[in-house]
């Protein structure tokens, strides 16, 4: 296993502050980096803190290019439920990130495989300076669900039944949830120069243990992180409870 920098925080306020400090230091040291940002509940306190600092004068906090991690398939550009709209609302718009600096999937592309190849080519031609990711309870990263290949590239995937159920409320009913999505592959994510995993809450404790204390296996996509260079994990006590330091 590579040397992993586990940072344990006491509460959600500290989670926001420590994550924002990490990001702020990163932007000070890297010129216009390419950064992946995650969706989900976990990063919300971090995004709030970054927006607060930006609005209070820390203008360098928008000096990065954004690369999408994943997206649902078949949504109109302006569908508020798309990940790109969600991230726009929570962080990219408040930071005034220019649309030319947002590398996002066209969810509604006629040929979705071609669209994945377009994004994959961009990822291959650029360096992912920092991949900030969250983790699902089954170890998914983006839409790389269990059994995804560690060398997988950007592609279309079918959503797991569990994921569809988990998202039903957000979509206003199970039948409303898109059945397909696109995601960067684990092979893309492995190429990131730096990775930051954000994790909080008791319900993530077991998968964190499996990710870092069990053998690396495609049954647990997040276990690729064990061999990831320059990995920082920021987690609260509940999430890190089963990690033996
Ligand atoms: P969460 O989602 O932050 O809402 O727990 C994380 C994920 O499923 O990747």
């Amino acid at each position: 296993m590579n040397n992993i920098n586990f940072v344990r925080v006491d509460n959600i306020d500290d989670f926001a502050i420590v994550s924002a400090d990490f990001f702020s230091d990163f932007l000070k040291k890297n010129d216009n980096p390419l950064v992946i940002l995650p969706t989900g509940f976990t990063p919300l306190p971090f995004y709030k803190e970054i927006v607060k600092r930006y609005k209070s004068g820390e203008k360098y906090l928008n000096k990065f290019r954004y690369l999408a991690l994943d997206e649902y398939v078949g949504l109109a550009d302006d569908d508020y439920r798309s990940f790109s709209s969600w991230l726009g609302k929570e962080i990219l718009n408040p930071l005034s990130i220019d649309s030319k600096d947002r590398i996002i999937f066209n969810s509604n592309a006629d040929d979705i495989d071609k669209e994945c190849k377009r994004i994959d080519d961009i990822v291959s031609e650029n360096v992912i300076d920092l991949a900030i990711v969250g983790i699902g309870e089954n170890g998914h990263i983006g839409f790389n669900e269990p059994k995804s290949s560690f060398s997988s590239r950007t592609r279309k995937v079918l959503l797991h039944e569990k994921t569809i159920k988990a998202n039903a409320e957000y979509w206003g009913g199970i039948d409303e949830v898109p059945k397909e999505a696109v995601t960067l592959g684990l092979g893309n994510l492995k190429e990131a120069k730096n990775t930051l995993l954000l994790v909080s809450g008791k319900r993530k404790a077991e998968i964190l243990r499996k990710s870092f204390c069990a053998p690396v296996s495609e049954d647990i996509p997040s276990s690729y992180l064990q061999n990831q260079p320059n990995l920082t994990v920021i987690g609260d006590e509940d999430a890190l409870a089963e990690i033996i330091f």
Side-chain angles (χ1 to χ4, degrees), residues 39-43 134-137 140-142 203-204:
T39 51
F41 287 108
T42 310
I135 184 173
E137 284 170 61
H140 72 209
I141 303 277
R203 68 190 176 91
K204 299 288 174 69

Side-chain angles (χ1 to χ4, degrees), residues 57-75:
E58 295 188 48
K59 293 301 177 198
Y60 65 92
L61 286 172
N62 71 358
K63 300 284 178 268
F64 67 91
R65 293 165 295 140
Y66 160 69
L67 170 65
L69 173 59
D70 51 6
E71 184 56 277
Y72 292 104
V73 166
L75 302 180

Side-chain angles (χ1 to χ4, degrees), residues 92-140:
L92 301 173
N93 301 343
L95 293 184
S96 301
I97 300 288
D98 202 285
S99 58
K100 73 170 176 19
D101 289 326
R102 302 183 193 195
I103 303 170
I104 58 175
F105 290 95
N106 175 5
S107 159
N108 213 9
D110 288 338
D111 184 338
I112 204 72
D113 292 328
K114 207 165 149 196
E115 175 62 5
C116 289
K117 170 87 170 63
R118 181 183 74 85
I119 296 288
D120 200 64
D121 286 348
I122 293 175
V123 177
S124 302
E125 287 157 14
N126 289 271
V127 173
I128 302 172
D129 296 292
L130 174 62
I132 307 182
V133 295
I135 184 173
E137 284 170 61
N138 64 358
H140 72 209

Side-chain angles (χ1 to χ4, degrees), residues 121-203:
D121 286 348
I122 293 175
V123 177
S124 302
E125 287 157 14
N126 289 271
V127 173
I128 302 172
D129 296 292
L130 174 62
I132 307 182
V133 295
I135 184 173
E137 284 170 61
N138 64 358
H140 72 209
I141 303 277
F143 278 120
N144 293 286
E145 300 285 357
K147 305 248 187 266
S148 295
S149 160
F150 284 139
S151 57
S152 55
R153 307 297 299 182
T154 309
R155 67 201 187 285
K156 182 179 81 179
V157 292
L158 287 177
L159 293 193
H160 277 204
E161 221 181 292
K162 261 191 170 171
T163 308
I164 292 176
K165 272 192 195 145
N167 288 310
E169 199 181 326
Y170 177 70
W171 285 88
I174 205 154
D175 294 337
E176 304 300 316
V177 187
K179 305 293 177 281
E180 292 177 340
V182 283
T183 186
L184 299 188
L186 296 172
N188 300 118
L189 292 169
K190 278 166 67 181
E191 289 169 3
K193 265 170 82 179
N194 300 275
T195 302
L196 171 64
L197 172 65
L198 297 177
V199 63
S200 61
K202 246 189 207 121
R203 68 190 176 91

